[in-house]
Amino acid sequence: MTAGRADVPATVAARDLYLDLLQKVLVNSIYQDPGMLYPDGATREEIAGHREVREFDPKRRSNGFDFPTVAHTMIGTRRMDNIRTCVETVLADAVPGDLAETGVWRGGAVIYMRGILKAHGVTDRSVWVCDSFRGLPPADIESYPDDAGIPFDAMTDVLGVSLEQVKENFRRYGLLDSQVHFLEGYFRDTLPTASIEQLAVLRLDGDMYESTINALDNLYPKLSPGGFLILDDYRLVPACRRAVTDYRRQHAIDTPIRPIDACGSYWRKEA
């Protein structure tokens, strides 16, 4: 075997090693930080400022069923695997467009997207980081009655992560550069005028009906055929699932929705 041919598998192995390690650090299966949990069925008053810290549970972390105290993502190993599969598929199939996530928390999923592009030497695609960077908005029950359930805005002490902190998290991985764009504000205000032209992977993690439908209305039409729509909360949060169902019905979308784990789902956009 020539030296030139040996370089190819060595490069692929090094890339895989980097991405595997990057994911483990983002999920923090390395140092195994404790997870935080809110009481099941808790009221707004019970949620605000009250959370239980439990020791690291590998099963919960793998499935994204805790709020890590330190890790930069809460979505777990299986949903991170899904991100990599979707991004590497659109790269292999030359599906045009950028990558985006709406609702980023500490930034782990979008940091991983940027790392995948970096590992593959991709310089002509961007990653869009869309968030209020202050937590979820109070539910507009009059306009979106499905959001009358979980009071997400009462969890701002955990869910509200500043823009400066998310940028710092990117910087710590050496991934804060001109291919990363931040869109700050509630989706109803930012997405209608966002300068996003075309997407290959769109990941929604807004939990609420309002956040989900705003993202679908404004960004799904920009998703290229062959691109992937990922729904973090589809199987767990009824309001998110209802928004997706309503949007698909309105636009006659019947592409099968595939499960990722007990929480997330996705589909590939047809031509």
Side-chain angles (χ1 to χ4, degrees), residues 171-188:
R171 187 178 293 112
R172 291 179 185 181
Y173 293 93
L175 295 172
L176 183 64
D177 59 20
S178 60
Q179 285 178 247
V180 183
H181 306 288
F182 296 88
L183 198 61
E184 181 179 12
Y186 291 137
F187 302 151
R188 60 176 176 250

Side-chain angles (χ1 to χ4, degrees), residues 16 21 38 50 55 70 102 115 123 125 136 165 172 178 184 195 197 211 229 245 247 250 259 263:
D16 288 344
L21 180 59
Y38 286 102
H50 295 84
E55 65 181 18
V70 175
T102 59
T123 60
R125 297 180 193 250
L136 279 73
Q165 183 60 60
R172 291 179 185 181
S178 60
E184 181 179 12
S195 56
E197 295 180 0
S211 302
L229 187 284
T245 299
Y247 185 86
Q250 180 183 357
C263 186

Side-chain angles (χ1 to χ4, degrees), residues 5-100:
R5 289 180 181 176
D7 286 344
V8 176
T11 300
V12 171
R15 182 176 66 209
D16 288 344
L17 184 63
Y18 165 72
L19 291 176
D20 288 346
L21 180 59
L22 178 59
Q23 182 191 118
K24 289 175 182 176
V25 175
L26 288 165
V27 174
N28 201 15
S29 59
I30 301 292
Y31 294 105
Q32 303 186 344
D33 58 318
M36 299 177 287
L37 297 172
Y38 286 102
D40 290 337
T43 65
R44 175 182 298 277
E45 291 72 24
E46 290 169 335
I47 283 177
H50 295 84
R51 56 185 184 270
E52 179 183 351
V53 178
R54 298 184 183 180
E55 65 181 18
F56 178 82
D57 183 330
K59 187 174 181 179
R60 279 189 174 275
R61 188 60 53 86
S62 177
N63 288 285
F65 281 163
D66 65 1
F67 296 107
T69 52
V70 175
H72 290 149
T73 181
M74 67 172 76
I75 68 174
T77 301
R78 295 172 66 184
R79 275 172 270 162
M80 290 288 273
D81 286 341
N82 171 257
I83 290 174
R84 180 173 175 183
T85 296
C86 290
V87 174
E88 291 189 328
T89 298
V90 299
L91 296 181
D93 293 350
V95 177
D98 295 334
L99 319 176

Side-chain angles (χ1 to χ4, degrees), residues 87-251:
V87 174
E88 291 189 328
T89 298
V90 299
L91 296 181
D93 293 350
V95 177
D98 295 334
L99 319 176
E101 184 179 43
T102 59
V104 306
W105 196 46
R106 294 173 182 160
V110 274
I111 290 170
Y112 197 41
M113 289 180 182
R114 181 65 192 96
I116 295 169
L117 295 183
K118 186 86 168 183
H120 284 269
V122 177
T123 60
D124 60 350
R125 297 180 193 250
S126 293
V127 173
W128 292 85
V129 184
C130 311
D131 203 290
S132 71
F133 300 102
R134 57 181 184 271
L136 279 73
D140 179 358
I141 304 301
E142 184 175 342
S143 300
Y144 306 100
D146 289 279
D147 283 335
I150 307 170
F152 289 107
D153 61 306
M155 303 179 188
T156 300
D157 59 323
V158 171
L159 299 181
V161 181
S162 71
L163 173 60
E164 291 71 24
Q165 183 60 60
V166 175
K167 285 184 176 180
E168 173 58 24
N169 292 344
F170 268 90
R171 187 178 293 112
R172 291 179 185 181
Y173 293 93
L175 295 172
L176 183 64
D177 59 20
S178 60
Q179 285 178 247
V180 183
H181 306 288
F182 296 88
L183 198 61
E184 181 179 12
Y186 291 137
F187 302 151
R188 60 176 176 250
D189 301 320
T190 60
L191 297 185
T193 57
S195 56
I196 300 172
E197 295 180 0
Q198 190 175 34
L199 293 169
V201 175
L202 172 59
R203 189 175 195 279
L204 310 188
D205 193 357
D207 297 272
M208 303 170 68
Y209 186 105
E210 177 183 359
S211 302
T212 303
I213 203 68
N214 283 335
L216 288 169
D217 283 340
N218 291 287
L219 297 182
Y220 190 77
K222 299 180 180 183
L223 186 65
S224 299
F228 290 93
L229 187 284
I230 305 171
L231 303 155
D232 186 82
D233 312 296
Y234 180 77
R235 305 186 71 199
L236 186 67
V237 182
C240 168
R241 186 164 58 251
R242 178 61 182 272
V244 173
T245 299
D246 289 349
Y247 185 86
R248 283 167 59 93
R249 182 184 300 115
Q250 180 183 357
H251 296 276

